Amino acid sequence: MEQLSRRRFLKISAATFTAAAAVTRLPDAVRVAGAAEAEKGVRTVPTFCEMCFWRCSGIAHVRDGKLWKFEGNPNDPQSRGRLCPRGTGAVGAYYDPDRLQKPLIRTSARGKDAWKAVTWDEALAYVAERMQKIKAEHGAESIAMFNHGIGVRMLQHVLKSYGCTNFAGPSFAQCRGPRDIGFLLTMGTGLGSPEPTDIANTDCLVLIGSHLGENMHNTQVQEFAQAVARRISIIVVDPRYSVAASKAKHWLPIRPGTDLALILAWMNVIVAEGLYDRAFVERHGHGFDRFAAEIAASTPEWAAGETGIDAGLIRTTAREIARHRPASLVHPGRRVNWNGDDAQRSRAVALLNALLGNWGRKGGIYLQAGMRVASYPLPKYPASTRPLADNPNQERYPFADEPVTTGLRDATISGKPYPIKAWWVYSTNLMQALPNPAETLKAIDQLDLLVVCDTVPSDIAGYADVVLPEVTFLERHDELLVGWGRQGWTSLRQPVMPAPADQKPGWWIAKELAGKLGIAQCMPFKDMAEYLATRVEKSGLSWETLKNDGVIMGPKMPITVEEGAEFAFDTPSGKVEFWSDQLVKAGFDPVPKYKAPAPLPEGFFRLVTGRSPVHTFSRTQSNPLLAGLMSDNEVWINAATAAKLGIANGQFVTLRNQDGVASNRVRVKATQRIRPDTVYMVYGFGQTNPRNRRTFGKGASAAQLNTRYATDPLMGGTSLHGNYVAIEQEA
Ligand SMILES: Nc1nc2c(c(=O)[nH]1)N[C@H]1C(S)=C(S)[C@@H](COP(=O)(O)OP(=O)(O)OC[C@H]3O[C@@H](n4cnc5c(=O)[nH]c(N)nc54)[C@H](O)[C@@H]3O)O[C@H]1N2
Ligand SMILES: Nc1nc2c(c(=O)[nH]1)N[C@H]1C(S)=C(S)[C@@H](COP(=O)(O)OP(=O)(O)OC[C@H]3O[C@@H](n4cnc5c(=O)[nH]c(N)nc54)[C@H](O)[C@@H]3O)O[C@H]1N2
Ligand code: SF4
Ligand SMILES: [Mo]
């Protein structure tokens, strides 16, 4: 039997599968590259997008040697032939005049804008020499890496082959980590990406924060649009009237930081009124009675006082959610790190879904299907006897199953459990991604070497000792994407255009570096095309087909479970853990317990963040096409609050947080679409590298105002909504 998911949670015998699985039907593969003949002078190349990490496959069109457009690949289950605005805007990333052009070595103090352009040979010789010295003095573990995205694969492989062990990305502790750990503790599996939410077939969708329509994760947004057209029940919980809220039957404008009270009250109603899936809970629930006793006091009347949401509305929505089960779905969220105790809130979301009995059911959470692709035989990595620096022996964050960025930053500052002397930073803008940039700078002060590999002069590149200019995703091969979803798939990233200057692909940089470090044998292939073709052909798939079509689909597999099927969850009890013995053992609450957020100081507002549909984090602000759509961010302030403060819509203000840290000047959006006690900004603006003309000083940085953050004791996630700001008018 095929493996169903990486952290497989259901142990199902083959005979119990439903035959007619809810697999999205894709058209027969379209010959993408062959289409070129039809349009004279136009070359088409399929490749997958890196404008965000949803990884849609697209088709690039090149006309008369110019990159003309990038559109969706109909063969691809992620894009289904359509890209989001950022994907379409990828053309602007290629033509961005502020792209890094040549390797740079810093010629003055860190953070000063003085550099010399050097050859790749000089740059990598410089890096390799410092790495050798650090390894000799402190061990290879003292060279750490921060990274995001698939492009890092070969660089990471070379560092691992050199003996490095410390790698961390913000996609865990600053993003989906608390959610995955909450679900892992409860259901025995994390959810990964794309989330296995069957929005296409659900009759009731609850979005807690998840701002689909601004969060442009393509497939989900397409299914959400269809759900709106199908007129299903949509319930949105958000202190802000988001795009999703504007499509909802119920908008619950919750007081930030109190969501757990609402979720407990919903479960209270569903349990007290016997509206849950009794058969599922009896068969698959562990500790349900103790759980029910724990939440007995969490009534809607109690929750109303915490959340600011009417008790009657809490009751009505609870019944509505239960009425549609099992085709009722509480979206697990993606960036759930709001308050620093988010793994427990995510556990409550998992339990609410369990009460609806929607696991492996149509319109609920489906079972992820994958496909097998052979690996390339590579030499083994040297063994290390030292613990990982971010979370030695899992003692700091007992349930973290990926490295914690801020833990690695702490280790760099303290030198414990051992000194960290070099950072490689690949495709992550740490000054924006991590809370409290002052701590990042303190850590950088401890380093003998900071290498940043980026495509544009990012904030973090401004502090580097060596800057390595990578080509954009449109100019390179990367590791294969092996996707898990309703049906497994594999897609290819391949070069569309030549590099416009002296930029190089990550794999090429890795290979050159390996040579200079004396470990060339760790990349025993001529180039990435040879590596990829080997993997594909070894799997019995056709390299030609993949190059031409961009995507190869895996076998169809059942993604729902048949009524009455025998299966077990991959938790210690084999069941959904309504009561968690492993949490008790580790000294944590067995059932999520609500803790009220600290009260707002007088004259302050809670600062929360989110996304613009046309930008990704801080990675697209430099793109001329996307900057043309939105060049800076605004601060959303409730219209009545603004009037009281004498602030007009469109006026510039400064935000000053509780620790006295001030933002850049930022435009006010005075609107009724937000609670009076909350202000909102799109994250990723207010960048600090003067070499980037389109981003420098544009808008305000939410990260800079995040001086205070709480850390999730279960898994190391950091709160990003824990700061208060006062609004200061310009003289
Ligand atoms: N305050 C606040 N902080 C947050 C969040 C928030 O909402 N508010 N969101 C959090 C979340 S959910 C996430 S996932 C993280 C994201 O954080 P990051 O992963 O750090 O994302 P970016 O900030 O976009 O940094 C990406 C960097 O990669 C560079 N880059 C882009 N393409 C390429 C490429 O092809 N090659 C190379 N070498 N570099 C490239 C970009 O120029 C940019 O400098 O941030 C987290 N931090
Ligand atoms: N266009 C675009 N799309 C993206 C991205 C991007 O950069 N650009 N990034 C992608 C990534 S990596 C991620 S992780 C996702 C993140 O996107 P999501 O996971 O959908 O949302 P969050 O960032 O968690 O939350 C933002 C929303 O939560 C609301 N909110 C703030 N505080 C609270 C609170 O206390 N309670 C409740 N209920 N709501 C609150 C905000 O008003 C906002 O609407 O987006 C993905 N999609
Ligand atoms: S969601 Fe948009 S930016 Fe992200 S991969 Fe897909 S098309 Fe690209
Ligand atoms: Mo994220």
Side-chain angles (χ1 to χ4, degrees), residues 53 148 170-172 174-176 217 334-337 611 617 683:
F53 302 105
H148 200 170
S171 48
F172 181 70
Q174 280 68 46
C175 179
R176 58 174 172 72
H217 275 167
R334 176 93 169 193
R335 182 184 66 89
V336 294
N337 51 0
R611 308 280 179 252
F617 323 123
Y683 142 80

PDB file of all heavy atoms in Angstrom, residues 53 148 170-172 174-176 217 334-337 611 617 683, ligand 4:
ATOM      1  N   PHE A  53       5.378  30.470  -1.383  1.00  0.00           N
ATOM      2  CA  PHE A  53       5.728  29.071  -1.188  1.00  0.00           C
ATOM      3  C   PHE A  53       4.566  28.117  -1.406  1.00  0.00           C
ATOM      4  O   PHE A  53       4.571  26.988  -0.941  1.00  0.00           O
ATOM      5  CB  PHE A  53       6.390  28.897   0.181  1.00  0.00           C
ATOM      6  CG  PHE A  53       7.607  29.756   0.289  1.00  0.00           C
ATOM      7  CD1 PHE A  53       7.601  30.920   1.037  1.00  0.00           C
ATOM      8  CD2 PHE A  53       8.740  29.434  -0.442  1.00  0.00           C
ATOM      9  CE1 PHE A  53       8.719  31.736   1.075  1.00  0.00           C
ATOM     10  CE2 PHE A  53       9.865  30.243  -0.413  1.00  0.00           C
ATOM     11  CZ  PHE A  53       9.854  31.404   0.352  1.00  0.00           C
ATOM     12  N   HIS A 148      14.848  29.696   3.560  1.00  0.00           N
ATOM     13  CA  HIS A 148      13.427  29.538   3.241  1.00  0.00           C
ATOM     14  C   HIS A 148      13.332  29.183   1.756  1.00  0.00           C
ATOM     15  O   HIS A 148      13.974  29.817   0.930  1.00  0.00           O
ATOM     16  CB  HIS A 148      12.683  30.855   3.527  1.00  0.00           C
ATOM     17  CG  HIS A 148      11.199  30.698   3.706  1.00  0.00           C
ATOM     18  ND1 HIS A 148      10.403  31.721   4.155  1.00  0.00           N
ATOM     19  CD2 HIS A 148      10.374  29.649   3.501  1.00  0.00           C
ATOM     20  CE1 HIS A 148       9.134  31.303   4.218  1.00  0.00           C
ATOM     21  NE2 HIS A 148       9.091  30.053   3.822  1.00  0.00           N
ATOM     22  N   PRO A 170      12.098  30.580   9.093  1.00  0.00           N
ATOM     23  CA  PRO A 170      10.977  31.236   9.774  1.00  0.00           C
ATOM     24  C   PRO A 170       9.636  30.559   9.491  1.00  0.00           C
ATOM     25  O   PRO A 170       8.639  30.888  10.133  1.00  0.00           O
ATOM     26  CB  PRO A 170      10.995  32.661   9.206  1.00  0.00           C
ATOM     27  CG  PRO A 170      11.666  32.543   7.882  1.00  0.00           C
ATOM     28  CD  PRO A 170      12.658  31.422   8.019  1.00  0.00           C
ATOM     29  N   SER A 171       9.602  29.639   8.557  1.00  0.00           N
ATOM     30  CA  SER A 171       8.331  28.985   8.228  1.00  0.00           C
ATOM     31  C   SER A 171       7.847  28.058   9.348  1.00  0.00           C
ATOM     32  O   SER A 171       6.728  27.566   9.302  1.00  0.00           O
ATOM     33  CB  SER A 171       8.467  28.212   6.921  1.00  0.00           C
ATOM     34  OG  SER A 171       9.636  27.430   6.976  1.00  0.00           O
ATOM     35  N   PHE A 172       8.680  27.828  10.357  1.00  0.00           N
ATOM     36  CA  PHE A 172       8.215  27.026  11.499  1.00  0.00           C
ATOM     37  C   PHE A 172       7.796  27.953  12.656  1.00  0.00           C
ATOM     38  O   PHE A 172       6.613  28.187  12.864  1.00  0.00           O
ATOM     39  CB  PHE A 172       9.305  26.025  11.926  1.00  0.00           C
ATOM     40  CG  PHE A 172       8.896  25.146  13.069  1.00  0.00           C
ATOM     41  CD1 PHE A 172       7.937  24.161  12.883  1.00  0.00           C
ATOM     42  CD2 PHE A 172       9.449  25.304  14.340  1.00  0.00           C
ATOM     43  CE1 PHE A 172       7.532  23.347  13.948  1.00  0.00           C
ATOM     44  CE2 PHE A 172       9.053  24.493  15.404  1.00  0.00           C
ATOM     45  CZ  PHE A 172       8.093  23.519  15.208  1.00  0.00           C
ATOM     46  N   GLN A 174       7.881  31.161  13.102  1.00  0.00           N
ATOM     47  CA  GLN A 174       7.186  32.405  12.789  1.00  0.00           C
ATOM     48  C   GLN A 174       5.975  32.181  11.890  1.00  0.00           C
ATOM     49  O   GLN A 174       5.403  33.131  11.373  1.00  0.00           O
ATOM     50  CB  GLN A 174       8.149  33.402  12.118  1.00  0.00           C
ATOM     51  CG  GLN A 174       9.044  34.145  13.090  1.00  0.00           C
ATOM     52  CD  GLN A 174      10.057  33.231  13.737  1.00  0.00           C
ATOM     53  OE1 GLN A 174      10.693  32.437  13.066  1.00  0.00           O
ATOM     54  NE2 GLN A 174      10.197  33.322  15.045  1.00  0.00           N
ATOM     55  N   CYS A 175       5.603  30.937  11.668  1.00  0.00           N
ATOM     56  CA  CYS A 175       4.530  30.708  10.701  1.00  0.00           C
ATOM     57  C   CYS A 175       3.630  29.567  11.139  1.00  0.00           C
ATOM     58  O   CYS A 175       2.862  29.696  12.079  1.00  0.00           O
ATOM     59  CB  CYS A 175       5.160  30.484   9.318  1.00  0.00           C
ATOM     60  SG  CYS A 175       3.976  30.167   8.008  1.00  0.00           S
ATOM     61  N   ARG A 176       3.753  28.413  10.501  1.00  0.00           N
ATOM     62  CA  ARG A 176       2.771  27.341  10.694  1.00  0.00           C
ATOM     63  C   ARG A 176       3.158  26.357  11.796  1.00  0.00           C
ATOM     64  O   ARG A 176       2.428  25.407  12.079  1.00  0.00           O
ATOM     65  CB  ARG A 176       2.565  26.578   9.376  1.00  0.00           C
ATOM     66  CG  ARG A 176       3.828  26.009   8.869  1.00  0.00           C
ATOM     67  CD  ARG A 176       3.799  25.128   7.685  1.00  0.00           C
ATOM     68  NE  ARG A 176       5.185  24.905   7.327  1.00  0.00           N
ATOM     69  CZ  ARG A 176       6.033  24.167   8.008  1.00  0.00           C
ATOM     70  NH1 ARG A 176       5.643  23.514   9.076  1.00  0.00           N
ATOM     71  NH2 ARG A 176       7.296  24.063   7.642  1.00  0.00           N
ATOM     72  N   HIS A 217      -2.944  32.323  -1.200  1.00  0.00           N
ATOM     73  CA  HIS A 217      -2.580  30.940  -1.524  1.00  0.00           C
ATOM     74  C   HIS A 217      -3.615  30.398  -2.522  1.00  0.00           C
ATOM     75  O   HIS A 217      -4.770  30.154  -2.187  1.00  0.00           O
ATOM     76  CB  HIS A 217      -2.492  30.107  -0.244  1.00  0.00           C
ATOM     77  CG  HIS A 217      -1.159  30.222   0.421  1.00  0.00           C
ATOM     78  ND1 HIS A 217      -0.915  29.784   1.697  1.00  0.00           N
ATOM     79  CD2 HIS A 217       0.019  30.718  -0.033  1.00  0.00           C
ATOM     80  CE1 HIS A 217       0.358  30.008   2.004  1.00  0.00           C
ATOM     81  NE2 HIS A 217       0.939  30.571   0.974  1.00  0.00           N
ATOM     82  N   ARG A 334      -2.802  29.232   8.963  1.00  0.00           N
ATOM     83  CA  ARG A 334      -1.442  29.022   8.461  1.00  0.00           C
ATOM     84  C   ARG A 334      -0.458  29.748   9.371  1.00  0.00           C
ATOM     85  O   ARG A 334       0.267  29.154  10.131  1.00  0.00           O
ATOM     86  CB  ARG A 334      -1.342  29.561   7.021  1.00  0.00           C
ATOM     87  CG  ARG A 334       0.054  29.480   6.423  1.00  0.00           C
ATOM     88  CD  ARG A 334       0.242  28.223   5.650  1.00  0.00           C
ATOM     89  NE  ARG A 334       1.456  28.217   4.852  1.00  0.00           N
ATOM     90  CZ  ARG A 334       1.686  27.329   3.906  1.00  0.00           C
ATOM     91  NH1 ARG A 334       0.781  26.421   3.625  1.00  0.00           N
ATOM     92  NH2 ARG A 334       2.815  27.337   3.233  1.00  0.00           N
ATOM     93  N   ARG A 335      -0.488  31.081   9.336  1.00  0.00           N
ATOM     94  CA  ARG A 335       0.408  31.807  10.261  1.00  0.00           C
ATOM     95  C   ARG A 335      -0.366  32.026  11.550  1.00  0.00           C
ATOM     96  O   ARG A 335      -1.125  32.964  11.690  1.00  0.00           O
ATOM     97  CB  ARG A 335       0.834  33.163   9.703  1.00  0.00           C
ATOM     98  CG  ARG A 335       1.806  33.871  10.645  1.00  0.00           C
ATOM     99  CD  ARG A 335       2.160  35.237  10.188  1.00  0.00           C
ATOM    100  NE  ARG A 335       1.055  36.153  10.206  1.00  0.00           N
ATOM    101  CZ  ARG A 335       0.708  36.908  11.246  1.00  0.00           C
ATOM    102  NH1 ARG A 335       1.378  36.838  12.362  1.00  0.00           N
ATOM    103  NH2 ARG A 335      -0.325  37.719  11.161  1.00  0.00           N
ATOM    104  N   VAL A 336      -0.153  31.139  12.484  1.00  0.00           N
ATOM    105  CA  VAL A 336      -0.998  31.160  13.671  1.00  0.00           C
ATOM    106  C   VAL A 336      -0.265  31.728  14.886  1.00  0.00           C
ATOM    107  O   VAL A 336      -0.794  31.706  15.980  1.00  0.00           O
ATOM    108  CB  VAL A 336      -1.498  29.739  13.991  1.00  0.00           C
ATOM    109  CG1 VAL A 336      -2.420  29.232  12.893  1.00  0.00           C
ATOM    110  CG2 VAL A 336      -0.321  28.807  14.157  1.00  0.00           C
ATOM    111  N   ASN A 337       0.950  32.235  14.676  1.00  0.00           N
ATOM    112  CA  ASN A 337       1.751  32.651  15.837  1.00  0.00           C
ATOM    113  C   ASN A 337       1.410  34.067  16.256  1.00  0.00           C
ATOM    114  O   ASN A 337       2.121  35.008  15.937  1.00  0.00           O
ATOM    115  CB  ASN A 337       3.240  32.511  15.515  1.00  0.00           C
ATOM    116  CG  ASN A 337       3.584  33.199  14.217  1.00  0.00           C
ATOM    117  OD1 ASN A 337       2.699  33.765  13.571  1.00  0.00           O
ATOM    118  ND2 ASN A 337       4.820  33.177  13.837  1.00  0.00           N
ATOM    119  N   ARG A 611      -1.533  40.280   5.282  1.00  0.00           N
ATOM    120  CA  ARG A 611      -0.969  40.254   3.924  1.00  0.00           C
ATOM    121  C   ARG A 611      -1.696  41.196   2.970  1.00  0.00           C
ATOM    122  O   ARG A 611      -2.903  41.399   3.092  1.00  0.00           O
ATOM    123  CB  ARG A 611      -1.132  38.848   3.349  1.00  0.00           C
ATOM    124  CG  ARG A 611      -0.611  37.747   4.220  1.00  0.00           C
ATOM    125  CD  ARG A 611       0.891  37.636   4.066  1.00  0.00           C
ATOM    126  NE  ARG A 611       1.449  36.606   4.916  1.00  0.00           N
ATOM    127  CZ  ARG A 611       2.180  36.852   6.004  1.00  0.00           C
ATOM    128  NH1 ARG A 611       2.411  38.077   6.397  1.00  0.00           N
ATOM    129  NH2 ARG A 611       2.691  35.853   6.702  1.00  0.00           N
ATOM    130  N   PHE A 617       5.339  38.791   1.867  1.00  0.00           N
ATOM    131  CA  PHE A 617       6.230  39.218   2.954  1.00  0.00           C
ATOM    132  C   PHE A 617       6.976  40.477   2.530  1.00  0.00           C
ATOM    133  O   PHE A 617       6.390  41.444   2.085  1.00  0.00           O
ATOM    134  CB  PHE A 617       7.260  38.139   3.335  1.00  0.00           C
ATOM    135  CG  PHE A 617       6.785  36.735   3.299  1.00  0.00           C
ATOM    136  CD1 PHE A 617       7.410  35.783   2.513  1.00  0.00           C
ATOM    137  CD2 PHE A 617       5.703  36.343   4.059  1.00  0.00           C
ATOM    138  CE1 PHE A 617       6.984  34.473   2.499  1.00  0.00           C
ATOM    139  CE2 PHE A 617       5.269  35.034   4.052  1.00  0.00           C
ATOM    140  CZ  PHE A 617       5.915  34.107   3.269  1.00  0.00           C
ATOM    141  N   TYR A 683       2.489  43.383   6.578  1.00  0.00           N
ATOM    142  CA  TYR A 683       3.880  43.188   7.000  1.00  0.00           C
ATOM    143  C   TYR A 683       4.811  43.185   5.778  1.00  0.00           C
ATOM    144  O   TYR A 683       4.394  42.850   4.685  1.00  0.00           O
ATOM    145  CB  TYR A 683       3.928  41.884   7.801  1.00  0.00           C
ATOM    146  CG  TYR A 683       5.124  41.004   7.622  1.00  0.00           C
ATOM    147  CD1 TYR A 683       6.309  41.300   8.293  1.00  0.00           C
ATOM    148  CD2 TYR A 683       5.077  39.892   6.813  1.00  0.00           C
ATOM    149  CE1 TYR A 683       7.414  40.484   8.153  1.00  0.00           C
ATOM    150  CE2 TYR A 683       6.173  39.065   6.677  1.00  0.00           C
ATOM    151  CZ  TYR A 683       7.338  39.366   7.342  1.00  0.00           C
ATOM    152  OH  TYR A 683       8.420  38.554   7.186  1.00  0.00           O
TER     153      TYR A 683
HETATM  154 MO    MO B   4       4.205  31.823   6.445  1.00  0.00          MO
END
